[in-house]
Amino acid sequence: MIYRFRIILDNTTEEDIFRDLEIRETDTLEDLHNTITQSFGFDGTEMASFYISNDAWDQGEEISLFDLSDDSSARLMNETTINDVVHEAQTKLIYIYDFLSMWTFYVELAEIVDEAEGSDYPNLMFVQGQVPDNAPEIKFEAESDDLDSDLDIENYDNLDFNENWN
Protein backbone atom coordinates (compact mmCIF):
# COMPACT_ATOMS: atom_id res chain seq x y z
CA MET A 1 0.00 0.00 0.00
CA ILE A 2 1.01 3.61 -0.56
CA TYR A 3 0.75 6.24 2.16
CA ARG A 4 0.00 9.79 1.09
CA PHE A 5 1.25 12.36 3.56
CA ARG A 6 0.91 16.11 3.90
CA ILE A 7 3.94 17.65 5.60
CA ILE A 8 3.29 21.18 6.88
CA LEU A 9 6.03 23.55 8.07
CA ASP A 10 5.18 25.07 11.45
CA ASN A 11 5.31 28.60 10.20
CA THR A 12 4.50 32.03 11.58
CA THR A 13 4.05 33.73 8.20
CA GLU A 14 0.82 34.18 6.32
CA GLU A 15 1.83 31.73 3.59
CA ASP A 16 1.09 28.02 3.95
CA ILE A 17 4.18 25.91 3.28
CA PHE A 18 3.61 22.20 2.76
CA ARG A 19 4.46 19.20 0.63
CA ASP A 20 2.25 16.27 -0.37
CA LEU A 21 4.12 13.04 -0.99
CA GLU A 22 3.60 9.34 -1.50
CA ILE A 23 5.73 6.59 0.01
CA ARG A 24 5.40 2.85 0.51
CA GLU A 25 4.02 1.83 3.90
CA THR A 26 6.91 -0.63 4.27
CA ASP A 27 9.61 2.02 3.77
CA THR A 28 11.42 3.18 6.90
CA LEU A 29 11.10 6.46 8.74
CA GLU A 30 14.64 7.17 7.51
CA ASP A 31 13.27 6.96 3.95
CA LEU A 32 10.51 9.38 4.94
CA HIS A 33 13.09 11.67 6.60
CA ASN A 34 15.17 11.70 3.38
CA THR A 35 12.10 12.44 1.27
CA ILE A 36 11.02 15.30 3.54
CA THR A 37 14.46 16.92 3.62
CA GLN A 38 14.82 16.70 -0.16
CA SER A 39 11.31 18.03 -0.83
CA PHE A 40 11.92 21.08 1.38
CA GLY A 41 15.42 21.72 0.00
CA PHE A 42 17.53 20.67 2.99
CA ASP A 43 20.78 18.74 2.59
CA GLY A 44 19.76 16.11 5.15
CA THR A 45 22.98 16.27 7.18
CA GLU A 46 21.48 17.60 10.42
CA MET A 47 20.10 15.61 13.35
CA ALA A 48 16.39 14.85 13.13
CA SER A 49 13.65 12.98 14.97
CA PHE A 50 10.08 11.94 14.49
CA TYR A 51 7.67 12.03 17.42
CA ILE A 52 4.49 10.02 17.54
CA SER A 53 1.63 12.47 18.01
CA ASN A 54 -2.03 12.42 18.96
CA ASP A 55 -4.89 14.40 17.44
CA ALA A 56 -3.96 17.46 19.53
CA TRP A 57 -0.39 17.36 18.12
CA ASP A 58 1.12 16.52 21.51
CA GLN A 59 4.68 15.23 21.22
CA GLY A 60 5.00 11.57 22.19
CA GLU A 61 7.64 8.86 21.76
CA GLU A 62 10.80 9.89 19.90
CA ILE A 63 12.17 7.97 16.95
CA SER A 64 15.63 9.32 16.23
CA LEU A 65 17.99 9.37 13.26
CA PHE A 66 20.93 8.39 15.51
CA ASP A 67 21.13 6.75 18.91
CA LEU A 68 22.59 9.30 21.32
CA SER A 69 21.25 7.60 24.46
CA ASP A 70 23.61 6.32 27.15
CA ASP A 71 22.16 2.82 27.09
CA SER A 72 21.61 2.43 23.32
CA SER A 73 17.88 2.19 23.86
CA ALA A 74 16.70 4.82 21.39
CA ARG A 75 14.21 3.81 18.73
CA LEU A 76 15.82 4.47 15.35
CA MET A 77 14.38 5.63 12.02
CA ASN A 78 16.28 3.06 9.96
CA GLU A 79 14.83 0.21 12.05
CA THR A 80 11.23 1.47 12.08
CA THR A 81 8.90 1.00 9.14
CA ILE A 82 6.32 3.67 8.51
CA ASN A 83 3.39 1.30 9.05
CA ASP A 84 4.80 0.42 12.51
CA VAL A 85 3.95 3.92 13.74
CA VAL A 86 1.43 5.33 11.25
CA HIS A 87 -1.88 3.71 10.33
CA GLU A 88 -5.58 4.57 10.13
CA ALA A 89 -5.90 4.87 13.93
CA GLN A 90 -2.60 6.77 14.39
CA THR A 91 -2.18 9.33 11.58
CA LYS A 92 0.06 12.07 12.97
CA LEU A 93 3.77 12.57 13.53
CA ILE A 94 5.84 15.60 14.44
CA TYR A 95 9.14 15.86 12.58
CA ILE A 96 11.97 18.08 13.82
CA TYR A 97 14.98 18.73 11.61
CA ASP A 98 18.18 20.44 12.80
CA PHE A 99 17.92 20.75 16.58
CA LEU A 100 19.79 24.08 16.54
CA SER A 101 17.32 25.72 14.14
CA MET A 102 14.33 23.59 15.18
CA TRP A 103 12.59 23.25 11.82
CA THR A 104 9.30 21.74 12.93
CA PHE A 105 6.87 19.92 10.65
CA TYR A 106 3.46 18.36 11.14
CA VAL A 107 3.23 15.08 9.23
CA GLU A 108 -0.24 13.68 8.66
CA LEU A 109 -1.40 10.60 6.82
CA ALA A 110 -4.02 11.83 4.36
CA GLU A 111 -4.83 8.68 2.43
CA ILE A 112 -3.87 5.05 1.90
CA VAL A 113 -4.04 3.92 -1.74
CA ASP A 114 -2.99 1.00 -3.89
CA GLU A 115 0.40 1.16 -5.56
CA ALA A 116 0.07 2.51 -9.10
CA GLU A 117 1.71 0.34 -11.72
CA GLY A 118 4.72 2.04 -13.31
CA SER A 119 5.01 4.70 -10.57
CA ASP A 120 8.21 5.37 -8.66
CA TYR A 121 8.11 5.86 -4.91
CA PRO A 122 8.67 7.98 -2.95
CA ASN A 123 6.87 10.53 -5.08
CA LEU A 124 6.55 14.26 -4.47
CA MET A 125 2.99 15.04 -5.55
CA PHE A 126 2.47 18.71 -4.71
CA VAL A 127 4.50 21.70 -3.49
CA GLN A 128 3.00 24.78 -1.81
CA GLY A 129 5.09 27.74 -0.66
CA GLN A 130 8.76 28.59 -0.41
CA VAL A 131 10.83 27.61 2.61
CA PRO A 132 12.19 30.70 4.40
CA ASP A 133 15.97 31.17 4.79
CA ASN A 134 15.74 30.66 8.55
CA ALA A 135 13.54 28.44 10.68
CA PRO A 136 10.45 30.23 11.99
CA GLU A 137 10.93 31.45 15.55
CA ILE A 138 9.03 29.49 18.13
CA LYS A 139 7.45 31.80 20.67
CA PHE A 140 6.97 30.39 24.13
CA GLU A 141 4.28 32.23 26.01
CA ALA A 142 3.50 31.71 29.67
CA GLU A 143 -0.07 31.92 30.79
CA SER A 144 -0.82 35.24 32.50
CA ASP A 145 -1.91 33.49 35.73
CA ASP A 146 1.59 32.06 36.07
CA LEU A 147 3.32 35.43 36.05
CA ASP A 148 3.83 37.72 39.00
CA SER A 149 3.40 41.16 37.44
CA ASP A 150 4.64 42.90 40.62
CA LEU A 151 8.09 41.32 40.35
CA ASP A 152 10.78 43.77 39.25
CA ILE A 153 13.74 41.66 38.19
CA GLU A 154 15.87 44.77 37.65
CA ASN A 155 15.62 45.79 41.32
CA TYR A 156 17.24 43.26 43.66
CA ASP A 157 16.67 45.31 46.84
CA ASN A 158 13.09 44.09 47.26
CA LEU A 159 13.85 40.41 46.70
CA ASP A 160 13.82 38.15 49.75
CA PHE A 161 17.31 36.69 49.65
CA ASN A 162 20.86 37.51 50.64
CA GLU A 163 22.82 38.08 47.46
CA ASN A 164 26.10 37.45 49.31
CA TRP A 165 25.00 34.09 50.74
CA ASN A 166 28.15 32.24 49.75
Side-chain angles (χ1 to χ4, degrees):
M1 299 303 287
I2 300 301
Y3 279 13
R4 289 184 175 161
F5 286 100
R6 174 159 286 176
I7 296 92
I8 303 169
L9 174 63
D10 184 9
N11 190 4
T12 57
T13 67
E14 298 290 323
E15 181 185 21
D16 290 333
I17 301 171
F18 64 88
R19 308 290 183 260
D20 291 343
L21 58 91
E22 298 176 311
I23 191 166
R24 288 181 179 91
E25 68 176 338
T26 54
D27 285 345
T28 66
L29 284 179
E30 185 175 27
D31 296 324
L32 182 57
H33 152 78
N34 291 331
T35 304
I36 292 171
T37 57
Q38 290 171 11
S39 70
F40 281 93
F42 297 116
D43 61 13
T45 60
E46 300 296 335
M47 185 62 191
S49 286
F50 284 98
Y51 297 88
I52 296 173
S53 180
N54 59 17
D55 287 339
W57 293 105
D58 294 323
Q59 188 171 308
E61 178 188 2
E62 179 180 15
I63 304 166
S64 183
L65 187 58
F66 302 108
D67 188 353
L68 301 177
S69 65
D70 294 334
D71 58 359
S72 299
S73 64
R75 193 167 177 188
L76 298 177
M77 288 184 200
N78 67 345
E79 299 172 351
T80 307
T81 60
I82 296 170
N83 62 2
D84 282 345
V85 293
V86 177
H87 41 79
E88 289 173 345
Q90 167 55 53
T91 61
K92 296 180 180 182
L93 298 169
I94 296 171
Y95 172 69
I96 297 179
Y97 176 75
D98 185 354
F99 289 144
L100 294 178
S101 298
M102 294 297 288
W103 291 95
T104 303
F105 300 86
Y106 299 107
V107 179
E108 185 166 15
L109 177 63
E111 190 174 19
I112 300 172
V113 298
D114 290 327
E115 189 168 335
E117 216 175 293
S119 294
D120 291 327
Y121 299 100
N123 175 37
L124 180 60
M125 298 169 45
F126 186 78
V127 172
Q128 170 68 42
Q130 294 293 330
V131 177
D133 292 335
N134 298 309
E137 258 187 63
I138 298 173
K139 295 180 181 176
F140 298 99
E141 297 180 23
E143 293 185 28
S144 60
D145 295 340
D146 295 340
L147 298 176
D148 184 358
S149 60
D150 297 332
L151 184 62
D152 181 7
I153 61 172
E154 301 299 324
N155 182 359
Y156 296 105
D157 296 335
N158 294 332
L159 297 177
D160 189 23
F161 73 94
N162 181 355
E163 65 185 62
N164 298 313
W165 62 274
N166 60 351

